[in-house]
Every structure is written in C-alpha cells, then in structure tokens.
Amino acid sequence: MLLPYHQSPRGSGLGEVKVMSAAVASIVLSILFGVWPCLGASQIRHFQWEVRYMYWSPDCVENVVMGINGRFPGPTIRAKVGDTISVRLTNGLLTEGVVIHWHGIRQFRTPWADGTASISQCAINPGESFTYRFEVDKAGTFFYHGHYGMQRSAGLYGSLIVELEDGKAEPFHYDEELSLLFSDWWHESMHEQEVGLSSIPFRWIGEPQSLLINGRGQYNCSLAASYQSRNSSYPRCNLRGGEQCAPYVLHVRPNKVYRLRLASTTSLSSLNFEISDHKMVVVEADGNYVRPFEVRDVDIYSGETYSVLLKTDQDPAQNYWVSISVRGRQPATPQGLTILNYVPTSASRLPVSPPPIAPRWDDFDRSKAFSKSMFSLLGSAQPPRARDRRIVLLNMQSKINGYTKWSINNVSLVLPLTPYLGAIRYGVKGAFDRRAPPENFPGNYNPMIPPLNPNSTTGNRVYTFLYNSTVDVVLQNANALSANVSEIHPWHLHGHDFWVLGYGEGKFTGGHKDEARLNLENPPLRNTVPVFPYGWTALRFVANNPGVWAFHCHIEPHLHMGMGVVFAEAVNLVGKVPDDTLMCGLTAKPRKD
Amino acid sequence: MLLPYHQSPRGSGLGEVKVMSAAVASIVLSILFGVWPCLGASQIRHFQWEVRYMYWSPDCVENVVMGINGRFPGPTIRAKVGDTISVRLTNGLLTEGVVIHWHGIRQFRTPWADGTASISQCAINPGESFTYRFEVDKAGTFFYHGHYGMQRSAGLYGSLIVELEDGKAEPFHYDEELSLLFSDWWHESMHEQEVGLSSIPFRWIGEPQSLLINGRGQYNCSLAASYQSRNSSYPRCNLRGGEQCAPYVLHVRPNKVYRLRLASTTSLSSLNFEISDHKMVVVEADGNYVRPFEVRDVDIYSGETYSVLLKTDQDPAQNYWVSISVRGRQPATPQGLTILNYVPTSASRLPVSPPPIAPRWDDFDRSKAFSKSMFSLLGSAQPPRARDRRIVLLNMQSKINGYTKWSINNVSLVLPLTPYLGAIRYGVKGAFDRRAPPENFPGNYNPMIPPLNPNSTTGNRVYTFLYNSTVDVVLQNANALSANVSEIHPWHLHGHDFWVLGYGEGKFTGGHKDEARLNLENPPLRNTVPVFPYGWTALRFVANNPGVWAFHCHIEPHLHMGMGVVFAEAVNLVGKVPDDTLMCGLTAKPRKD
C-alpha cells in the first residue's frame, strides 16, 4: 500500500526545506527592499507578509483559515542570535484588525513589537501595514501567533527558530534538526466559537476535531486504520502526499542524532508527544537549556516549546509512528499521527505495530512528574535568592451577568480600547482603571470546592512592578463552577522568562511547608508553565524589561473569557513608542492640518 | 392543521408592534440619557445599539448572524419629518470594525453620518461607540444596513420609516400600514463568501438558501408543502409561531386599505412581490411619491423601497399567500412565503390555492415595463432642463491579476484606508489618487460581447462635481466575461435622490435617438435604479449636498468586487467633521501630550 506522506525534496525533512525557503524569501525580499543582507555577522532579516483568509484543508476538510502569504501555517522564520527580524505585516482581512505576537521573544527595548492588541499596540486596521522590528537575543525554539480576539484559533501561527551565532555550539550534539509545530483544529470558525463562548446559555467550543502536526491532520480518515486502535472507526487515508492534509513525514537517516524542535500553539489541548520505540532526551524548554533527561514521551502544553534529541538507532528497515494525543481533558479527538521514516526505507511502509497509546488523560501524577523533572542546565542563570514582592493569582471560573467567565482574584480581564503601553508611556488619562488590582484572594476562599459566590466583575487594572524588582507569582488553581472539576491552565508571560520555583497541592498558604517546596537552586527558566488541578505553581521573575506585558492562560477560549492579567514595569524607561502603534482609542487624535 | 405564524399582539401586524417597541425604546433610552423626548413637535429620537454576532435561525437553520441589541433584523426606527435620529452605536464585535448606512437618508449637513467606511468615516473599532446623528427631512420608506466589507450579508440591517409631520396628509388614503423588509440568506458565513470571491479560482456565492420577509424564512420546510408547487420537495413546516423562522403573518381587517411598506436589502436577489388574488397600487418609491399605478406584482431590486396600497376586498373567510420570488437570475431558491390573514379568520387556515407563480425570471421585458411605468406624482420636483455635465459609466466584468472583478470604465474600486470626507475636507495629502477618473469608456468598446481585453486595474479616484451643478449619469451595461451573459445591476446613490430619465437598449451613443428616450417631464425621483442587461439607464441629479458620496451597485458581492464609484461635491462647504470619524489612516495622528 502507499502510505500518504508529504513529499519533501531530497528526503531531508521539511524543516530544512523551510529553512531554505525562509532564507530565500529573506534574500529575495531584502533585494526587493534594497537591503542586501550582509552574510556572516548579524543581519536584518526582512519579511513581507500579508494575512488573509483562504480556503485550506488542514485535516482534509475544507475550511476557511487565516493564512500568511497564502500558506498555513505561516512561513517559518529562522534567524541567528543578534539578528533583527523585520516583518512588514499587511492586514489583508476585510473588516478585522490583526496583530502578531512573537511568543517567547522578550522584546527588550521594543515592547511595542510584542504584538498584543490593546496592550502593546492598536490592532492593525484592514488594508494597513505595520512593521514588527525586534532583535532575537537568545537562541531557542519559538513561534508566533495572532493575539487579537481568538485569531490564533483561526490558524494564524507559525514557527520562529533562533539559532546560535556562528561559531558557538549548543551544549549538546546533534546532526540534523526537524521542527514540529502542534495545533488543534475545529471545523467551527473562530467567529462561531466566540459567539458560543459569549452566549447565554454558554456554549463551550468542545474538543477539537483534529490535532495537527505542522498544520496537517486527518479528520475523515486514519493513517492507522489497518490497526485495532482508537482511530479504527475511520477509513484508511487515501492520500498521495500533495494534499494540504497529507502528513508531514519526518525523514531521518539511521544512527544520527536529531534535534526535534517541538512547539504547541494549541487553542485548548494539552498534548502528549511520543515516537514509537524511541526514547528522547529533553534539552531545551521555551528557549532555555534544561538538564538533559530521558523520556519515552513529552507532555507539552499550549505555549510551550521543547527541544528533544532523538537517536535514530532502531531497525532502519522499518518506519515508526509519531503521535500527539490529548491529555488533561477527556479526549474526544483522534491522536494526531505522522511517520518517522528511516531513509531510504520507503516512507509508504507502515510501522509494524499500532500507534502508541497515550498515558491516561487524567493521570495527573504522571504529568506532574514530567514537569517536575525539569531543571535548568548547570551554569544557567539562577534566580535572585529573595523576592521583593509576591502576588497570588486565584484561577477561578465565574459568572458575570449570567455569562460564564474566568477570573483572576475575582476579576475577569476585559482589555481596554486604548493600548496600555502608549497610555502609560504618554500619561493618557482615562484609558484604564489606574487602581491597583488585588494581590491575593480572600483567606477564607476554599479552592477545593466550587465558588460559594461565583459572581465576579470585569476589570482592566495593571500590576505595576518596580524596575529590576524580583517578583514571585503564585498561580492558585481552584475548583471550577461544577463540582469535582479543576482544569490545567498553562500560563504564559510576555516579555520575560521566569523561574519555575515549584508546584504544590491544594491551597498555597505561604507557610513553611509551601516555602520548602520552592527550588531556588536550579529551577528551569521558562515563559509558560502549567498550574495543575487543585494545585499551585510558584514562579519568579525580575521586572527588568520596561514595558507592559500580558500574563495569561494560553488556552485561547480561556483568555477570551478573561483569564489573564497585565503587568507593567518601568514604562518611563521605554523609548519612543512608534506612532503607528498609537492610532486608536485615546492615544489617537484627528489630523486636521 | 395549525399554520405556523408569528404571533403578534392584538392581531394588528408586527409593523405596529415594532412601532410600539421603537417608541418605548426611544423613551426609555431618552430617560436613560436624561433627555425627555418632547411630544408633538420634532424631537430627537435616541437609540442605543450594540452590534454583536449571535446565534439565530433566520430560515430555521441555526447560524451566526450580526444582530443589534440581540435582534435580527435590527430594531425598526420610526420617526417624523424634522426629527433628529441619534443612534449611539457600540461595536460589540471582537475583531471587526463596523458602520451603519442609513439608506435613502440624504444627510444634508451631516455627510459624516452616512455610515460608509472609507468614505464618510473610519470604521468604528471593536469596543468603541459612535453616534450617528442626522435629521430625517423627508417622509418615506427607508432602511439601514452595514456598509463595511460584506456585513450587510451577515444580517446587519433593519427598517427606518419616516412619517409625515403631524397634521400633514399623504396624497393617498390608507387605514393602516404594514412594513416588510426583504432579504436573502446564505448558510455560508459572510467570511466564507468573501474568501470565495477573493480566491483564484473565483468562487461565486451562488444563489441564496432562503428568502426572508422581516428576517424570517423557511429553508428545510415549506408553508406550501400541501400544494403541488416548486416548494413541494420540502416537508410541511412544523412551527408554532414562536420560532425565529416562523413567518411574519400580515394580519389585516376586511375592507380596509393598507399601506405596505416594502424594502429590499437583499445581497443579490432581484425580487418579485405578489399577494394572491389582490391587486396593489404603487404610490411611493424610495421615499418619493409616484403617480399611482395598479399592479398584480412588484419587481423590487436590492436597495429599492416601495409603498403599495392594498385593499382587503377579498373573501374574508380565506387567507392569502404573500410571496417573494427571485427574478433576473435563474432561481435556485424557493419563494419566500407568508400569509395575509383576514382577522378574525384563523391565521392557521391555509389559502385555498397554491402560492402565486412568479413571472419568468428572464422575462426582462416585463421587468422593464414595470420600471418604465413609474412617473413622479404631479406636482413633484422636476429636473433641471439642462445638464451641466454627463458621465457614462460602463459596467464591466473584468480580471485583475487573475481575480474576477467588476470595473467601471475599466477601474475596479478599492476604497482607500483614509476616508475621503476627512481627507478632502482637511486637505490631507496622499490619501487617494487625486487624478480625475474616466468620464466615459472608449468609443470602440462593444458592450454586446465579452470584453476583448478583460484586464482592468484597481483605483480610488473621485468624480468631483461643481456645487449645484446638474449631473447626468448614464449607466451602460455590457456583456460579462462569459458570452451571452449580462446581469441586472441596481445602482444606489448616497446623499441624493436622482431623476430616472430613461432606459435604453444596447450602447448609449448620446445621439438624438437616445436623447429622445429621456423623460424630462415627470421622471420619478429615486435613490436606486436598475440597469438592465445589455441596456443603459440615464439619471440626473443636482450636486447640492456637500459631502462625499458612494454610487455603487447594491449587490453586495458586486460592490465587494469593485462595482462602484465615488462622488464629491463642495466638500469645502462641509462643516466641522466630527473627530471620531477621522481616527484612522492619514486623518489620525498620535496623541502624546
């Protein structure tokens, strides 16, 4: 039989093909704009992108997808440390604004390029263009995505990979690399999903129809139909490889070490990643080195990235399953599959065994064990020993006027019309509520049961931190509105990495027992971290990046329902904010001259 | 059997119910805003509206619809001549801008309130509010609708009815009135439709799934299932009357005269309106009195309104069909149906005969005969005898870079990012192409065959008219891209009524024969007029309204594809343009103080 696969030239994996195309695009565009990229040293990498809706079949079902330059996912950006990325983004949508957030890039000295509507900039109007220009100052695996409404759910995302400077070496060896961007996909449009979330009665978006690997999944057929498996209700895929939904096959050579760059931009799903019969060594998380540890599978939450090393040491006459499965929620979505193909074995040869079976979705102990096995690589930056301030953020499902919301310390975030950065930088009055938001939740609140009073309020206050102060944040999970429900929330911080000091069960009290759980020796640096059901997660960062930064649950519908807060630090030290980030709300005025 | 109907209190027709609710809303909102509407004399009628997407089932199939204050269609506005309408419109969409155009209202002295994105104002950003404040200076049947992207197709529309001042009488008698707003409905979202129109290969939106009367139609069932008819493939409707798709029954009393106010806000469809066994007398068109003439049915094009008088002189023990059917295009949509119910006959009694059969869709002679039977009422304003200028606008289907477009004199309209009104009023440079657009098309162009060179260009130039000059426009139809295809285009002019001087066949030459066809004695005043296949339509207006005004085909996808032009007149006489119409493009600048 012919196994469907995505044909890539020279069988070297589409990661490299994408490298080529990104590089070529960069050069072509540089020529177009009269800038010849200097070779060798750090350079400005120019891109010209247009966002448009287009027909696409991510999972073999045609849909309308938000694409960039006619592609889904958007083009991969590859750069080297010290490079400047310059993306001139044209909004080719007809009535919708757009922004793009560069997830994991800290935007030192360019907080206006963070791509968060209502925070760092005004949304780019239809037909308008905006240039994101920022330095990539750290190597690692990143991605980018829409950050306005739920446009990430519409498919607005792509990979962003920063390599070390020439001559510098990673603290681990690998021969080649492959890049895998994971997402989940619904057949209902982003607009339909938003309406459901904003309706009475509340309509949840439900579980995704498909899981996608590099934008490719199979909804109405299965690569593994020949096996007895959870996918067996679907017929065998009849794909030749050129289809938009043909799987992204990982072509590898035997006895090499591959760096797999994993990134999850799911709207909702926590994923478990596994390759049959292969172990992996985790070496990077969110652009930071971790102490290598070996695993059979990787839990990856929305907003997280990893690099894992894969040794192609299995029987090269066979192919192997590459699988992502839903964890943390009762799955109703077939696992996402593709093939690890040992070249020159035919990519159409099916693996001998059925796809791997994911760990039980509700085996949270296993999930915690994975998260807790993460430590920073020896020699990494250590956290300051003492904090200057600690805020505790209660993750609470709530009701406002009958609508279902998520609230933090009883406040559901509704972003203001005027972006915070410009409003604060230029002292514009009336743009948002200047009062300080709550630092904690009431001491008598019991997070182990549904809220006794689920009514919360909307708000847009800002947590303001002293420049260079050390801030601890404790994310406190709680029971949702329904009894015996508490969900995983992966929290993502803009503008910073943070140290994950520790995880705990139940209610954080700040007592000796809780403090004892905090790791100040070798905590991993990350930009995204989960808070587990009925538990808490403590993190620490230094407020050393002048700007205004979102900190939020990376589950798209949760953010939409208010699950986030806003941090500001040393905005007076921010340079001149570009005019075209200010052209809305109270930071705009008419030009009549 | 129980005939489904929309229950209305006191059986007096929903027109009056809507009168009540609009009036109550007006009073309630006036109180809210501390303005007590003075009774009797002209008043300010305050409305507070929020546009949001919502679940709705216009034709018994659930969809996402753009509603106002949770209703579809939006609330009916009723006012009296001399009143000021004040609608504070809040954009409750998440990522989309919005505007509302008040179709047929000339906006003397308030051109910024015309509600055309990129022409009269910047689109209202998500979360922002804008107040449309304008005087209604003329009685008539009007409506309102979105005028940004294809938001009219998403369901953003409603009725606007202006009554005579107290004490003034219409030149015809009627006892009561009913208001019917016609539209066509697709199950594909506006976004999906837009993508198809902007794709290569081009995907046409196709014929509508349903025709709606006051926002109500039946897709998967038929009111007329018991009869042998074109609807017979659908099962009988099982509706009780409370459903969103239950028909809007016209409750009437015997031996009365009803004024039926008809308005068509279809995206595409030309309609034929008929009531079984009843004749009607046409008395008003687009807010202007016409010489009364009796008809069995009325052709109504998108953008047109009529008042017809209906005498309830038939057997009051029966009910009668009210029907709209597609004309001008090969229909693929069941006729839209509701019931004329003679109270106190049960509204659930089915008519004795099947619904009326519409005139053949391609009987254009019949359509022309209807249009040509329209004359202004004796005593109406007459056109100036001589024109100051004549422009001829070729309606041409075309190609641009492989995309299918509509072009006027070989230019497909792409609106600029900065609204014209502010740009011209304040002399902002670079907002659009200041060169004059073409006044005519090449003399050797043969409109009877497909374009020999279908390639056109995009443009945004403006036709500028001297203040108070008399302008003639000749709309010249042509063969589309495919052989033997020429479509009806209903053209709508903002800011003005125009006299319809005449219709002709073939190519307009301006010769004696064409001139002889022009009626300068009693041409009807309108704001919308069709140009028929392979023919031309001549109209005249006086450029007496300082402002910038769209003139375009009212078929939503045609406008989207570029089928429009822009007129400007005496913009130097326009008053102070409100700041909040200028907050985009080149008429905005940052506020940093």
Side-chain angles (χ1 to χ4, degrees):
Chain A
M1 67 165 283
L2 183 74
L3 184 78
Y5 65 97
H6 180 78
Q7 194 77 44
S8 62
R10 309 188 56 80
S12 60
L14 257 161
E16 275 186 272
V17 174
K18 294 217 167 221
V19 175
M20 291 303 297
S21 48
V24 168
S26 171
I27 290 167
V28 167
L29 287 164
S30 299
I31 293 167
L32 280 174
F33 286 87
V35 182
W36 185 258
C38 45
L39 302 171
S42 65
Q43 49 179 273
I44 302 177
R45 295 181 186 266
H46 289 277
F47 299 89
Q48 187 156 10
W49 288 359
E50 184 177 17
V51 175
R52 291 181 67 168
Y53 284 113
M54 60 182 187
Y55 291 116
W56 204 265
S57 302
D59 63 351
C60 306
V61 176
E62 191 185 72
N63 221 310
V64 166
V65 172
M66 208 174 266
I68 297 174
N69 293 356
R71 297 160 82 177
F72 167 79
T76 293
I77 292 182
R78 274 194 176 256
K80 287 197 163 68
V81 170
D83 286 352
T84 294
I85 307 287
S86 174
V87 177
R88 182 161 176 81
L89 183 70
T90 297
N91 180 356
L93 309 173
L94 289 153
T95 52
E96 282 183 71
V98 78
V99 296
I100 288 185
H101 168 58
W102 314 93
H103 185 110
I105 306 298
R106 291 170 298 175
Q107 303 287 359
F108 278 118
R109 293 175 302 283
T110 54
W112 48 77
D114 194 43
T116 44
S118 286
I119 299 176
S120 64
Q121 71 173 118
C122 298
I124 307 163
N125 281 336
E128 300 268 12
S129 299
F130 176 80
T131 300
Y132 290 98
R133 196 181 161 102
F134 54 89
E135 190 186 332
V136 288
D137 62 347
K138 212 175 69 167
T141 305
F142 307 106
F143 59 105
Y144 61 84
H145 60 79
H147 213 297
Y148 187 36
M150 285 172 55
Q151 290 181 343
R152 180 158 57 95
S153 294
L156 186 53
Y157 45 73
S159 294
L160 197 173
I161 290 164
V162 183
E163 299 168 358
L164 283 174
E165 304 94 313
D166 290 337
K168 287 209 176 176
E170 303 280 9
F172 43 84
H173 162 79
Y174 59 98
D175 300 298
E176 298 185 26
E177 71 170 69
L178 294 164
S179 180
L180 301 179
L181 180 62
F182 304 138
S183 56
D184 42 8
W185 188 248
W186 280 255
H187 292 165
E188 276 206 326
S189 73
M190 167 195 84
H191 298 276
E192 292 168 313
Q193 293 179 40
E194 286 175 341
V195 172
L197 297 171
S198 309
S199 290
I200 297 175
F202 179 70
R203 290 198 210 175
W204 177 238
I205 62 168
E207 296 300 311
Q209 270 66 61
S210 305
L211 301 178
L212 310 182
I213 299 173
N214 287 340
R216 296 158 176 275
Q218 298 80 36
Y219 173 71
N220 48 12
C221 71
S222 170
L223 303 182
S226 323
Y227 307 90
Q228 291 298 325
S229 82
R230 127 170 6 137
N231 292 293
S232 62
S233 61
Y234 286 100
R236 191 151 58 93
C237 294
N238 183 21
L239 298 167
R240 301 194 142 265
E243 299 84 356
Q244 290 164 349
C245 64
Y248 208 101
V249 170
L250 283 64
H251 303 285
V252 296
R253 291 177 294 157
N255 295 312
K256 298 282 178 187
V257 176
Y258 283 83
R259 177 183 191 167
L260 304 186
R261 294 180 181 270
L262 314 178
S264 174
T265 184
T266 55
S267 292
L268 171 65
S269 310
S270 305
L271 298 176
N272 184 267
F273 170 75
E274 183 170 354
I275 299 180
S276 307
D277 304 322
H278 290 73
K279 290 182 178 171
M280 299 172 282
V281 176
V282 181
V283 294
E284 180 216 338
D286 298 354
N288 295 288
Y289 298 125
V290 297
R291 195 167 77 186
F293 62 106
E294 189 179 74
V295 291
R296 286 216 159 269
D297 57 273
V298 171
D299 279 339
I300 182 166
Y301 301 95
S302 179
E304 292 189 335
T305 72
Y306 287 105
S307 283
V308 297
L309 302 181
L310 174 83
K311 196 163 182 188
T312 50
D313 56 3
Q314 296 300 303
D315 177 3
Q318 305 297 333
N319 291 323
Y320 302 87
W321 291 112
V322 177
S323 160
I324 49 174
S325 307
V326 171
R327 294 212 64 199
R329 308 178 62 88
Q330 188 150 23
T333 311
Q335 67 194 135
L337 291 174
T338 185
I339 295 290
L340 181 74
N341 164 237
Y342 274 69
V343 175
T345 299
S346 165
S348 64
R349 175 192 286 265
L350 275 178
V352 291
S353 313
I357 292 166
R360 237 183 49 230
W361 69 270
D362 55 354
D363 186 352
F364 293 108
D365 287 341
R366 196 177 190 285
S367 303
K368 292 172 196 170
F370 177 79
S371 289
K372 290 177 182 173
S373 54
M374 213 94 49
F375 300 97
S376 65
L377 187 66
L378 195 67
S380 302
Q382 295 303 300
R385 304 300 296 178
R387 64 176 178 271
D388 296 309
R389 181 169 164 195
R390 173 189 276 162
I391 60 174
V392 184
L393 302 179
L394 176 67
N395 290 221
M396 174 192 169
Q397 203 176 26
S398 65
K399 287 276 184 185
I400 298 179
N401 299 328
Y403 293 96
T404 302
K405 299 287 181 185
W406 286 95
S407 294
I408 304 307
N409 293 350
N410 221 32
V411 179
S412 185
L413 179 64
V414 174
L415 291 170
L417 306 179
T418 306
Y420 290 103
L421 182 62
I424 300 175
R425 175 68 180 76
Y426 296 108
V428 174
K429 298 211 190 325
F432 63 95
D433 184 346
R434 295 272 179 169
R435 291 172 295 175
E439 299 270 307
N440 209 326
F441 60 94
N444 61 356
Y445 190 94
N446 183 354
M448 310 305 280
I449 59 169
L452 297 178
N453 176 5
N455 292 317
S456 67
T457 56
T458 59
N460 60 24
R461 301 187 194 183
V462 172
Y463 292 89
T464 303
F465 302 121
L466 291 176
Y467 189 44
N468 281 328
S469 63
T470 297
V471 178
D472 277 17
V473 178
V474 178
L475 293 161
Q476 175 67 59
N477 212 335
N479 199 104
L481 290 172
S482 305
N484 301 315
V485 174
S486 183
E487 302 181 20
I488 291 178
H489 302 286
W491 279 76
H492 171 63
L493 178 58
H494 292 227
H496 302 268
D497 291 325
F498 51 71
W499 290 276
V500 181
L501 299 187
Y503 304 88
E505 308 290 326
K507 185 171 174 175
F508 179 84
T509 63
H512 178 73
K513 200 167 125 255
D514 289 341
E515 294 283 353
R517 290 187 162 274
L518 306 185
N519 169 14
L520 298 179
E521 302 308 316
N522 56 357
L525 261 179
R526 309 213 53 165
N527 60 54
T528 305
V529 71
V531 57
F532 291 103
Y534 298 111
W536 54 262
T537 298
L539 54 94
R540 176 169 295 181
F541 69 95
V542 177
N544 60 358
N545 193 359
V548 185
W549 309 106
F551 180 48
H552 62 90
C553 176
H554 208 261
I555 293 175
E556 189 83 326
H558 287 185
L559 173 57
H560 176 77
M561 294 162 69
M563 197 166 204
V565 293
V566 178
F567 292 168
E569 53 205 64
V571 179
N572 58 311
L573 300 181
V574 169
K576 183 186 172 298
V577 176
D579 287 354
D580 52 358
T581 67
L582 303 173
M583 297 297 193
C584 67
L586 298 173
T587 47
K589 63 180 180 181
R591 180 194 302 273
K592 290 177 166 179
D593 41 40
Chain B
M1 68 164 286
L2 183 73
L3 184 78
Y5 66 97
H6 180 77
Q7 195 77 44
S8 63
R10 313 187 55 80
S12 59
L14 258 159
E16 275 185 271
V17 174
K18 294 217 166 217
V19 176
M20 292 302 298
S21 50
V24 168
S26 173
I27 291 166
V28 167
L29 288 164
S30 299
I31 294 167
L32 280 174
F33 286 88
V35 181
W36 184 257
C38 45
L39 301 171
S42 65
Q43 49 180 274
I44 302 176
R45 296 181 184 266
H46 289 277
F47 300 89
Q48 188 156 8
W49 287 359
E50 185 177 17
V51 175
R52 290 181 67 167
Y53 284 113
M54 59 182 188
Y55 292 116
W56 203 265
S57 302
D59 63 352
C60 306
V61 177
E62 190 184 74
N63 222 310
V64 166
V65 172
M66 207 174 266
I68 297 174
N69 293 355
R71 299 160 81 177
F72 168 77
T76 293
I77 292 183
R78 272 193 178 256
K80 287 196 164 69
V81 170
D83 285 353
T84 294
I85 307 287
S86 174
V87 178
R88 183 163 174 80
L89 183 70
T90 297
N91 180 355
L93 308 173
L94 290 153
T95 52
E96 281 182 71
V98 79
V99 295
I100 288 185
H101 168 58
W102 315 93
H103 185 109
I105 306 299
R106 290 170 297 174
Q107 304 286 358
F108 278 119
R109 294 175 300 282
T110 54
W112 47 77
D114 193 45
T116 43
S118 286
I119 299 176
S120 64
Q121 70 173 122
C122 298
I124 306 162
N125 281 337
E128 301 268 12
S129 299
F130 177 79
T131 300
Y132 289 98
R133 194 181 163 99
F134 55 88
E135 190 187 332
V136 286
D137 62 348
K138 213 176 67 166
T141 305
F142 307 107
F143 59 106
Y144 61 83
H145 60 79
H147 213 297
Y148 188 35
M150 285 174 54
Q151 290 180 343
R152 179 158 57 94
S153 295
L156 185 54
Y157 46 73
S159 294
L160 196 175
I161 289 164
V162 182
E163 300 168 358
L164 282 176
E165 304 94 315
D166 289 337
K168 288 210 178 176
E170 301 280 8
F172 43 84
H173 163 79
Y174 59 98
D175 298 299
E176 299 187 25
E177 70 169 70
L178 294 164
S179 180
L180 301 179
L181 180 61
F182 305 137
S183 56
D184 42 8
W185 189 247
W186 279 255
H187 293 165
E188 277 207 325
S189 73
M190 168 195 83
H191 299 277
E192 292 167 312
Q193 293 179 39
E194 286 174 341
V195 172
L197 297 172
S198 309
S199 289
I200 298 177
F202 178 70
R203 289 200 211 175
W204 177 239
I205 62 169
E207 296 300 310
Q209 271 66 63
S210 305
L211 300 179
L212 310 182
I213 299 173
N214 286 339
R216 296 159 176 275
Q218 298 79 38
Y219 174 71
N220 48 12
C221 70
S222 170
L223 304 182
S226 321
Y227 306 90
Q228 290 300 325
S229 81
R230 119 165 21 129
N231 292 292
S232 63
S233 60
Y234 286 100
R236 191 151 57 93
C237 294
N238 183 22
L239 298 166
R240 303 192 140 267
E243 298 86 355
Q244 290 163 348
C245 63
Y248 208 100
V249 170
L250 283 62
H251 303 286
V252 294
R253 291 178 292 157
N255 294 311
K256 298 281 178 188
V257 177
Y258 284 82
R259 177 184 190 166
L260 305 185
R261 294 180 181 271
L262 315 178
S264 174
T265 184
T266 54
S267 292
L268 171 64
S269 309
S270 305
L271 299 175
N272 184 266
F273 171 74
E274 183 171 354
I275 299 181
S276 306
D277 303 322
H278 290 73
K279 289 183 180 172
M280 301 174 279
V281 175
V282 181
V283 293
E284 180 216 338
D286 298 356
N288 295 289
Y289 299 125
V290 297
R291 195 168 77 184
F293 63 106
E294 190 179 73
V295 291
R296 285 216 160 269
D297 56 274
V298 171
D299 278 340
I300 181 167
Y301 301 94
S302 178
E304 292 189 335
T305 73
Y306 288 105
S307 283
V308 297
L309 302 182
L310 175 82
K311 195 162 183 189
T312 50
D313 57 2
Q314 297 299 303
D315 177 2
Q318 305 298 334
N319 291 323
Y320 301 87
W321 290 113
V322 177
S323 160
I324 48 174
S325 308
V326 171
R327 295 211 65 199
R329 307 178 62 88
Q330 187 149 25
T333 312
Q335 67 195 133
L337 291 173
T338 185
I339 295 290
L340 181 75
N341 165 236
Y342 274 67
V343 175
T345 299
S346 165
S348 65
R349 176 192 286 264
L350 274 180
V352 291
S353 313
I357 293 168
R360 238 183 49 230
W361 70 271
D362 55 354
D363 185 354
F364 292 109
D365 287 341
R366 196 178 190 283
S367 303
K368 291 172 197 169
F370 177 79
S371 288
K372 290 177 183 173
S373 54
M374 211 96 50
F375 300 97
S376 65
L377 186 66
L378 195 66
S380 302
Q382 295 303 298
R385 305 298 296 179
R387 65 178 177 269
D388 295 310
R389 181 169 164 195
R390 173 189 276 161
I391 60 173
V392 183
L393 301 177
L394 175 68
N395 288 222
M396 174 193 168
Q397 203 176 27
S398 64
K399 288 278 184 181
I400 299 179
N401 299 329
Y403 293 97
T404 302
K405 300 286 182 186
W406 287 95
S407 294
I408 303 307
N409 293 351
N410 220 32
V411 180
S412 186
L413 179 63
V414 174
L415 290 169
L417 306 179
T418 306
Y420 290 103
L421 182 62
I424 299 175
R425 176 68 179 76
Y426 296 109
V428 174
K429 296 210 191 327
F432 64 94
D433 185 345
R434 295 271 179 168
R435 290 172 295 173
E439 298 271 306
N440 208 325
F441 59 94
N444 61 355
Y445 190 93
N446 183 354
M448 311 305 280
I449 58 169
L452 297 178
N453 177 5
N455 292 316
S456 66
T457 56
T458 60
N460 59 25
R461 300 186 194 183
V462 172
Y463 292 90
T464 303
F465 301 122
L466 290 177
Y467 188 44
N468 280 327
S469 62
T470 298
V471 178
D472 278 16
V473 178
V474 178
L475 293 161
Q476 174 67 60
N477 213 336
N479 198 104
L481 289 172
S482 304
N484 302 313
V485 174
S486 183
E487 303 181 19
I488 291 178
H489 302 287
W491 279 77
H492 171 63
L493 178 58
H494 292 228
H496 301 269
D497 292 324
F498 51 72
W499 290 275
V500 181
L501 300 188
Y503 304 88
E505 306 292 324
K507 184 171 174 176
F508 178 84
T509 63
H512 178 71
K513 200 165 128 255
D514 290 340
E515 294 284 349
R517 289 186 163 275
L518 306 186
N519 169 15
L520 298 179
E521 300 309 316
N522 56 356
L525 260 179
R526 310 213 52 165
N527 60 55
T528 305
V529 70
V531 57
F532 291 103
Y534 298 112
W536 53 263
T537 298
L539 54 94
R540 177 170 294 179
F541 68 95
V542 178
N544 59 359
N545 192 359
V548 184
W549 308 106
F551 180 48
H552 61 89
C553 175
H554 208 260
I555 292 175
E556 188 82 326
H558 287 185
L559 174 57
H560 175 78
M561 293 160 72
M563 198 166 202
V565 294
V566 178
F567 292 167
E569 54 205 62
V571 178
N572 58 309
L573 301 181
V574 169
K576 183 186 172 296
V577 176
D579 287 355
D580 52 359
T581 66
L582 303 173
M583 296 299 195
C584 66
L586 298 174
T587 48
K589 62 180 181 181
R591 181 193 303 272
K592 289 177 166 178
D593 40 42

